[in-house]
Amino acid sequence: MQKASKRAFIRKVKRITALFAALAFVFAAMSCAHQNDRSAQATREVFAMDTYMNVACYGKNAEKAADAAVSEIKRIDALLSITSESGSIRNLNEKGSSNVGAETAGIIERALDIHNKTGGAFDITVLPLMELWGFTSGEYRVPEESELKAALDGIGSEKLSVSGDEVSLGGALGIDLGGIAKGYTSDRLIELFKEKGLTSACVSLGGNVQCLGTRSDGGAWRCGIVHPFHKDSGVYLGVIAVIDKAVITSGAYERNFTDENGVRYHHIIDPKTGYPAETGLASVTIVSESGILADALSTACYIMGLDGASAYWRNSAEQFDMILMTNDGRVYITDGIADSFTSDFEVRIINR
Ligand code: ADP
Ligand code: MG
């Protein structure tokens, strides 16, 4: 395919994927929409961070809050994108060290903390690997073993250092906050809604959902989890009822390509091998009060696999719950959400 038409094709695929993500969101917000005063409901759709994002605010100030949310999404996208000239990341990646400002430094510190806690599974220094596989440009290819080996020398969040607002890459070649940016953004939106006095709102950033409070009729938000094998047909793995929570999923089905032998390669990279993580999982959904934690852990737990993720959860079960689906079709949930998750599939419980 020519580059231009390839890009157009990628855009089209993204749009279709986003439509389904939006449908999943509508599903999440649906049960409140018909029970609420529609005049007090404000919704917005915005394309940012390479995906479609939806915002729904309820009650007094809903319109103002929804507008503010759109501005905030655009601001954070410009701040954290690896290509944005006005942002903090591109400059850092080009120069190797720079003053990124307090906000970005805080996000990087959080990423380093999660890197340490997940045994290195979550690693924002994967950028050179993302580039080699073509996930940053959309020009996908399977890198040579030797290219991956050479790139792995420059991978490792241990190389990074943060001192105040000053970040240094050390020997790392660049950082990519794609595994954490949307979760950070949804946290920020919820804070902003609270500042505006809202008590009921829900955002879906490319399928990553975060809710403030309850629906305005007082009920829990019902969030449909995309079935990784039927992502385009509206079949859900199940539905989770949540109040004040982020529900964030990582899956191989979200962004991938297939080579001439029919082998599929996806965008969640194991920083230890340089290859897309293949641990037998098809998707991981994290349910947590913290969007940033949920986003990072959905990526990390995917890489850790069922056993690794379960062990990790047992050590920090007060911070999050999860819904896992294996490639062979088994569904697992942690016991903290046993009463709030419903599914047509057989569900196995991971106990503490
Ligand atoms: P999505 O962005 O599609 O919702 P994820 O939250 O799982 O999916 O994040 C995947 C993104 O995270 C990749 O596109 C890349 O930017 C980044 N990434 C990939 N592998 C890792 C990793 N091991 N650690 C941290 N970030 C990663
Ligand atoms: Mg993530």
Side-chain angles (χ1 to χ4, degrees), residues 120-126 130 135 176-180 182 205-206 208 248-251 254-255 267-271 295-296 298-300 302-303:
F122 188 78
D123 194 332
I124 56 174
T125 65
V126 293
M130 296 303 290
F135 286 112
D176 168 12
L177 298 179
I180 201 170
K182 282 181 278 176
L205 314 184
N208 289 354
I248 295 187
T249 300
S250 285
E254 284 174 333
R255 192 175 298 189
H267 72 317
I268 303 168
I269 304 291
D270 184 337
D295 197 2
S298 68
T299 308
Y302 189 94
I303 294 167

Side-chain angles (χ1 to χ4, degrees), residues 103-130:
E103 188 176 14
T104 303
I107 299 168
I108 293 173
E109 280 188 320
R110 199 70 207 275
L112 295 183
D113 178 47
I114 297 171
H115 170 81
N116 290 333
K117 290 184 175 145
T118 59
F122 188 78
D123 194 332
I124 56 174
T125 65
V126 293
L127 179 63
L129 298 168
M130 296 303 290

Side-chain angles (χ1 to χ4, degrees), residues 8 29 99 107 129 161-162 198 223 230 267 283-284 306 328 331 334 338:
N99 184 322
I107 299 168
L129 298 168
S161 56
V162 184
L198 265 57
C223 185
H230 307 285
H267 72 317
S283 76
V284 175
L306 175 63
D328 54 11
V331 180
T334 51

